[in-house]
Amino acid sequence: QVELVESAGGVVQTGGSLRLSCAASGGASRSGTMGWFRQAPGKEREFVATFRWGDFKKLYADSVKGRFTISRDNAKKMVYLEMSNLKPEDTAVYYCAATTSNLIFSEMGRKEGYKYWGQGTQVTVSS
């Protein structure tokens, strides 16, 4: 069983920055695919960013490309999401997600491919 724990989110102003972290424990290993999704009130959970542990192949949603950066700390089994130039539409609950599978590129952005989920953390961007 893989356990994922996200850091606390927060409230930031438009244009501000915030870093989220996700700690993987339990059966987590430095393999498979791990990333971030988010869900705004009344909306479907959507893909944000992800990567494969093995080759660090990364994928970003178009809406965050150039503003968000996903990174990792292999030794600590931590994944980070650096968010900059935040916009009110980035307001959502952010979820860390993982699977032990090395997802193919076309599947990396689909939430159905991820078996393990964190509890979620709220990010609010004020205008």
Side-chain angles (χ1 to χ4, degrees), residues 12-20 38 63-69 81-87 90 94 123 125:
V12 296
Q13 292 186 331
T14 297
S17 299
L18 190 66
R19 187 178 82 158
L20 302 179
R38 67 186 181 186
S63 59
V64 307
K65 206 171 291 185
R67 301 188 299 121
F68 290 14
T69 301
L81 185 68
E82 298 272 2
M83 304 183 290
S84 63
N85 191 21
L86 283 160
K87 305 174 181 180
D90 294 317
Y94 283 71
V123 173
V125 184

Short mmCIF file of all heavy atoms in Angstrom, two decimals, residues 12-20 38 63-69 81-87 90 94 123 125:
data_model
loop_
_atom_site.label_atom_id
_atom_site.label_comp_id
_atom_site.label_asym_id
_atom_site.label_seq_id
_atom_site.Cartn_x
_atom_site.Cartn_y
_atom_site.Cartn_z
N VAL A 12 -2.86 32.66 -1.76
CA VAL A 12 -1.89 33.57 -2.36
C VAL A 12 -2.62 34.55 -3.25
O VAL A 12 -3.73 34.27 -3.71
CB VAL A 12 -0.80 32.82 -3.17
CG1 VAL A 12 0.02 31.93 -2.27
CG2 VAL A 12 -1.43 32.02 -4.29
N GLN A 13 -1.97 35.65 -3.51
CA GLN A 13 -2.56 36.64 -4.41
C GLN A 13 -2.24 36.28 -5.86
O GLN A 13 -1.29 35.55 -6.14
CB GLN A 13 -2.02 38.03 -4.09
CG GLN A 13 -2.49 38.55 -2.74
CD GLN A 13 -2.06 40.00 -2.52
OE1 GLN A 13 -1.04 40.44 -3.03
NE2 GLN A 13 -2.86 40.73 -1.76
N THR A 14 -3.04 36.81 -6.73
CA THR A 14 -2.79 36.63 -8.16
C THR A 14 -1.37 37.07 -8.49
O THR A 14 -0.92 38.13 -8.05
CB THR A 14 -3.79 37.45 -8.98
OG1 THR A 14 -5.11 36.94 -8.74
CG2 THR A 14 -3.50 37.32 -10.47
N GLY A 15 -0.68 36.22 -9.25
CA GLY A 15 0.70 36.50 -9.61
C GLY A 15 1.71 35.94 -8.63
O GLY A 15 2.92 35.97 -8.88
N GLY A 16 1.24 35.42 -7.51
CA GLY A 16 2.12 34.89 -6.50
C GLY A 16 2.59 33.48 -6.80
O GLY A 16 2.27 32.90 -7.84
N SER A 17 3.37 32.94 -5.86
CA SER A 17 3.94 31.61 -6.03
C SER A 17 3.68 30.76 -4.80
O SER A 17 3.47 31.28 -3.69
CB SER A 17 5.46 31.71 -6.24
OG SER A 17 5.77 32.46 -7.40
N LEU A 18 3.71 29.45 -5.01
CA LEU A 18 3.48 28.51 -3.92
C LEU A 18 4.11 27.19 -4.32
O LEU A 18 4.11 26.82 -5.50
CB LEU A 18 1.98 28.33 -3.69
CG LEU A 18 1.53 27.56 -2.44
CD1 LEU A 18 1.90 28.34 -1.19
CD2 LEU A 18 0.02 27.35 -2.50
N ARG A 19 4.66 26.47 -3.34
CA ARG A 19 5.21 25.14 -3.61
C ARG A 19 4.46 24.10 -2.80
O ARG A 19 4.33 24.24 -1.58
CB ARG A 19 6.70 25.07 -3.28
CG ARG A 19 7.31 23.75 -3.71
CD ARG A 19 8.80 23.66 -3.45
NE ARG A 19 9.10 23.30 -2.07
CZ ARG A 19 10.26 22.76 -1.68
NH1 ARG A 19 11.22 22.55 -2.58
NH2 ARG A 19 10.46 22.46 -0.42
N LEU A 20 4.00 23.08 -3.47
CA LEU A 20 3.39 21.93 -2.81
C LEU A 20 4.38 20.78 -2.81
O LEU A 20 5.18 20.64 -3.74
CB LEU A 20 2.12 21.49 -3.54
CG LEU A 20 1.02 22.52 -3.69
CD1 LEU A 20 -0.16 21.92 -4.45
CD2 LEU A 20 0.56 23.02 -2.32
N ARG A 38 -5.96 18.34 -9.87
CA ARG A 38 -6.67 19.32 -9.06
C ARG A 38 -8.16 19.27 -9.37
O ARG A 38 -8.57 18.83 -10.44
CB ARG A 38 -6.13 20.73 -9.30
CG ARG A 38 -6.39 21.28 -10.70
CD ARG A 38 -5.67 22.61 -10.89
NE ARG A 38 -5.92 23.18 -12.21
CZ ARG A 38 -5.33 24.27 -12.67
NH1 ARG A 38 -4.44 24.93 -11.92
NH2 ARG A 38 -5.62 24.73 -13.88
N SER A 63 -2.76 24.36 -19.50
CA SER A 63 -3.16 25.50 -18.67
C SER A 63 -2.08 25.92 -17.67
O SER A 63 -2.12 27.04 -17.16
CB SER A 63 -4.45 25.19 -17.92
OG SER A 63 -4.27 24.05 -17.09
N VAL A 64 -1.13 25.04 -17.39
CA VAL A 64 -0.09 25.37 -16.40
C VAL A 64 1.30 25.40 -17.00
O VAL A 64 2.26 25.76 -16.31
CB VAL A 64 -0.12 24.39 -15.21
CG1 VAL A 64 -1.51 24.31 -14.61
CG2 VAL A 64 0.38 23.00 -15.61
N LYS A 65 1.42 25.03 -18.25
CA LYS A 65 2.73 24.95 -18.90
C LYS A 65 3.41 26.32 -18.86
O LYS A 65 2.80 27.33 -19.17
CB LYS A 65 2.56 24.48 -20.34
CG LYS A 65 3.77 23.79 -20.95
CD LYS A 65 3.41 23.18 -22.29
CE LYS A 65 2.46 22.02 -22.14
NZ LYS A 65 2.19 21.35 -23.44
N GLY A 66 4.67 26.32 -18.44
CA GLY A 66 5.41 27.56 -18.32
C GLY A 66 5.26 28.26 -16.99
O GLY A 66 5.99 29.19 -16.67
N ARG A 67 4.28 27.84 -16.20
CA ARG A 67 4.06 28.45 -14.87
C ARG A 67 4.33 27.46 -13.74
O ARG A 67 4.76 27.87 -12.66
CB ARG A 67 2.62 28.95 -14.76
CG ARG A 67 2.24 29.98 -15.79
CD ARG A 67 0.87 30.58 -15.51
NE ARG A 67 -0.20 29.58 -15.53
CZ ARG A 67 -1.00 29.32 -14.50
NH1 ARG A 67 -0.87 29.98 -13.37
NH2 ARG A 67 -1.96 28.43 -14.61
N PHE A 68 4.07 26.20 -13.96
CA PHE A 68 4.25 25.18 -12.93
C PHE A 68 5.42 24.29 -13.32
O PHE A 68 5.66 24.01 -14.50
CB PHE A 68 3.00 24.30 -12.81
CG PHE A 68 1.80 24.98 -12.21
CD1 PHE A 68 1.71 26.35 -12.06
CD2 PHE A 68 0.72 24.21 -11.79
CE1 PHE A 68 0.60 26.96 -11.50
CE2 PHE A 68 -0.41 24.80 -11.24
CZ PHE A 68 -0.47 26.18 -11.10
N THR A 69 6.13 23.80 -12.30
CA THR A 69 7.25 22.88 -12.51
C THR A 69 7.15 21.73 -11.52
O THR A 69 7.01 21.96 -10.32
CB THR A 69 8.59 23.59 -12.32
OG1 THR A 69 8.69 24.70 -13.23
CG2 THR A 69 9.75 22.63 -12.58
N LEU A 81 5.61 20.46 -6.51
CA LEU A 81 4.96 21.21 -7.57
C LEU A 81 5.19 22.69 -7.26
O LEU A 81 4.62 23.23 -6.32
CB LEU A 81 3.46 20.91 -7.64
CG LEU A 81 2.72 21.58 -8.80
CD1 LEU A 81 3.17 20.98 -10.13
CD2 LEU A 81 1.20 21.44 -8.66
N GLU A 82 6.07 23.29 -8.04
CA GLU A 82 6.34 24.71 -7.91
C GLU A 82 5.36 25.47 -8.80
O GLU A 82 5.34 25.26 -10.02
CB GLU A 82 7.77 25.02 -8.36
CG GLU A 82 8.86 24.35 -7.56
CD GLU A 82 9.28 25.17 -6.35
OE1 GLU A 82 8.70 26.25 -6.11
OE2 GLU A 82 10.18 24.72 -5.63
N MET A 83 4.58 26.34 -8.20
CA MET A 83 3.56 27.07 -8.95
C MET A 83 3.89 28.57 -8.90
O MET A 83 4.08 29.12 -7.82
CB MET A 83 2.18 26.82 -8.33
CG MET A 83 1.82 25.34 -8.24
SD MET A 83 0.17 25.05 -7.58
CE MET A 83 0.42 25.54 -5.87
N SER A 84 3.96 29.17 -10.05
CA SER A 84 4.24 30.59 -10.11
C SER A 84 3.23 31.29 -11.01
O SER A 84 2.49 30.63 -11.74
CB SER A 84 5.67 30.83 -10.62
OG SER A 84 5.81 30.34 -11.95
N ASN A 85 3.23 32.61 -10.95
CA ASN A 85 2.27 33.41 -11.72
C ASN A 85 0.85 32.83 -11.57
O ASN A 85 0.14 32.63 -12.55
CB ASN A 85 2.67 33.45 -13.19
CG ASN A 85 1.88 34.46 -13.98
OD1 ASN A 85 1.30 35.40 -13.42
ND2 ASN A 85 1.84 34.29 -15.29
N LEU A 86 0.48 32.59 -10.34
CA LEU A 86 -0.80 31.95 -10.06
C LEU A 86 -1.96 32.85 -10.45
O LEU A 86 -1.90 34.09 -10.33
CB LEU A 86 -0.90 31.57 -8.59
CG LEU A 86 -0.11 30.30 -8.23
CD1 LEU A 86 0.16 30.23 -6.74
CD2 LEU A 86 -0.86 29.07 -8.70
N LYS A 87 -3.03 32.21 -10.90
CA LYS A 87 -4.23 32.90 -11.36
C LYS A 87 -5.42 32.41 -10.54
O LYS A 87 -5.39 31.29 -10.00
CB LYS A 87 -4.48 32.59 -12.83
CG LYS A 87 -3.31 32.91 -13.73
CD LYS A 87 -3.58 32.45 -15.16
CE LYS A 87 -2.39 32.73 -16.08
NZ LYS A 87 -2.64 32.30 -17.46
N ASP A 90 -6.59 28.92 -10.90
CA ASP A 90 -5.80 27.83 -10.33
C ASP A 90 -6.34 27.40 -8.97
O ASP A 90 -5.86 26.41 -8.41
CB ASP A 90 -4.33 28.26 -10.16
CG ASP A 90 -3.64 28.51 -11.48
OD1 ASP A 90 -3.84 27.71 -12.42
OD2 ASP A 90 -2.90 29.51 -11.58
N TYR A 94 -5.73 20.40 -4.59
CA TYR A 94 -4.67 19.72 -5.35
C TYR A 94 -4.39 18.36 -4.72
O TYR A 94 -4.23 18.24 -3.51
CB TYR A 94 -3.41 20.58 -5.36
CG TYR A 94 -3.51 21.73 -6.33
CD1 TYR A 94 -4.36 22.81 -6.08
CD2 TYR A 94 -2.79 21.73 -7.52
CE1 TYR A 94 -4.47 23.86 -6.98
CE2 TYR A 94 -2.89 22.77 -8.43
CZ TYR A 94 -3.74 23.82 -8.15
OH TYR A 94 -3.86 24.85 -9.05
N VAL A 123 -5.64 25.09 -2.43
CA VAL A 123 -4.90 26.26 -2.91
C VAL A 123 -5.92 27.29 -3.36
O VAL A 123 -6.77 26.99 -4.20
CB VAL A 123 -3.95 25.89 -4.06
CG1 VAL A 123 -3.32 27.14 -4.66
CG2 VAL A 123 -2.87 24.93 -3.58
N VAL A 125 -6.30 31.21 -4.84
CA VAL A 125 -5.64 32.37 -5.42
C VAL A 125 -6.64 33.51 -5.42
O VAL A 125 -7.68 33.44 -6.08
CB VAL A 125 -5.14 32.08 -6.84
CG1 VAL A 125 -4.37 33.29 -7.38
CG2 VAL A 125 -4.27 30.83 -6.87
#
